Amino acid sequence: MRRTLIVVLSGSLLLLAGCGGSGGDGTSSSGVDGSIAADSSMSSPGIALAPESGGVSRDQAPQAQTRKEVVTGQIFVTTADPVEAARDAVAAVEDAGGRIDNRTENPETDNSTASSSITARIPADELTATVDRIEQLGKVTSVSITRDDVTMQYQDLDARISALQSSVDRLKALIAGAANTADLIEAESALSSRQGELDSLTSQKNYLADQVELSTITVQFSTDDVTPSPGPDTFLDGLVSGWHSLLDAVSGGVVALGRAIPWLGALVVGAAIVYGIIRIVRRPPAAADSAESTSGEAADSPPVDQGDTAQSP
């Protein structure tokens, strides 16, 4: 009976010990999980564990960075009246708030057809609408638009300008509180150098900002298709292109020679006339000089002794 009671008590104690150990482990595990969660929330603010998926979700998404692009392009338009079309294009650009940097108009002549071209600076946000208006002025034969991303360059200029501005401000403060002349001269020299570099970077940023704000588009109007043809891609195409170039050069040389022959003939005839006039003008004085020289030689020659003449064999 006593042994049975001892066995029961021992089993009860072992059971209680196992339950206690299990409870202790559970408490410890929950404490570790809580500390990890606390560390996560402290080290990464704004990040919380999703209750169902277990992933990470941000309270606020980062704002999209504004890109800086320099847009350039070229448009070829064929129209019946290139000069009038260019004027309409200028009006479209000015209505969009842009400006014209270059404008050329060539009316029709006996030797050439009419043509015109403009170099327009168009606000970036009005580029698409303005290009659409220009394309409606005739038949578009070619459109080329290039976008150059200068975001990193713009940010680099901003950072360098900010750093230099801070340095300039500190140097101005040092100059204001300079205790002696040597410190004042040294600070002014450093300020002059930094200020010059700051002005240069500011000019670069302003130029880049102007290129980003206003797109540069060149538009060429003509009555004929003047779209630049692509170059040869294969050896045979290059050979054919070279042969055609040679024929064009020979043809051009023959035409130039035909145009030059009348001028050469006129020059030869004119030179012959001038030469004849010079010969006619200079001939009498030359004859007179010859006669005078002959008489002079006769007068200057000494008389011949007859005796000597007789003695001579």
Side-chain angles (χ1 to χ4, degrees), residues 271-290:
I273 293 174
V274 172
Y275 180 74
I277 293 174
I278 294 175
R279 291 290 303 272
I280 292 173
V281 171
R282 295 187 60 182
R283 182 175 297 176
D289 292 342
S290 177

Side-chain angles (χ1 to χ4, degrees), residues 68-154:
K68 303 292 184 180
E69 293 181 339
V70 176
V71 181
T72 57
Q74 195 169 18
I75 304 175
F76 292 88
V77 180
T78 302
T79 181
D81 191 350
V83 176
E84 186 64 25
R87 294 174 183 174
D88 294 340
V90 170
V93 171
E94 292 177 349
D95 290 343
R99 69 173 188 265
I100 302 298
D101 283 354
N102 188 18
R103 178 178 177 180
T104 303
E105 295 182 357
N106 299 314
E108 183 178 2
T109 62
D110 296 337
N111 299 325
S112 62
T113 59
S115 64
S116 62
S117 65
I118 61 172
T119 301
R121 302 297 308 281
I122 306 172
D125 53 352
E126 297 289 340
L127 177 62
T128 303
T130 306
V131 169
D132 291 341
R133 288 186 59 182
I134 293 174
E135 290 178 350
Q136 295 175 2
L137 299 176
K139 178 183 177 182
V140 179
T141 58
S142 176
V143 176
S144 175
I145 303 294
T146 303
R147 296 180 178 272
D148 187 13
D149 191 347
V150 294
T151 305
M152 297 300 295
Q153 184 179 354
Y154 198 88

Side-chain angles (χ1 to χ4, degrees), residues 211-288:
Q211 295 296 312
V212 171
E213 182 179 358
L214 297 176
S215 303
T216 304
I217 302 296
T218 301
V219 187
Q220 295 187 3
F221 299 94
S222 64
T223 55
D224 300 326
D225 186 2
V226 293
T227 305
S229 58
D233 296 331
T234 63
F235 173 78
L236 182 60
D237 293 340
L239 184 62
V240 173
S241 177
W243 175 253
H244 290 165
S245 299
L246 177 61
L247 293 180
D248 293 340
V250 172
S251 177
V254 171
V255 173
L257 180 61
R259 292 179 176 178
I261 286 177
W263 292 92
L264 293 176
L267 290 175
V268 171
V269 172
I273 293 174
V274 172
Y275 180 74
I277 293 174
I278 294 175
R279 291 290 303 272
I280 292 173
V281 171
R282 295 187 60 182
R283 182 175 297 176

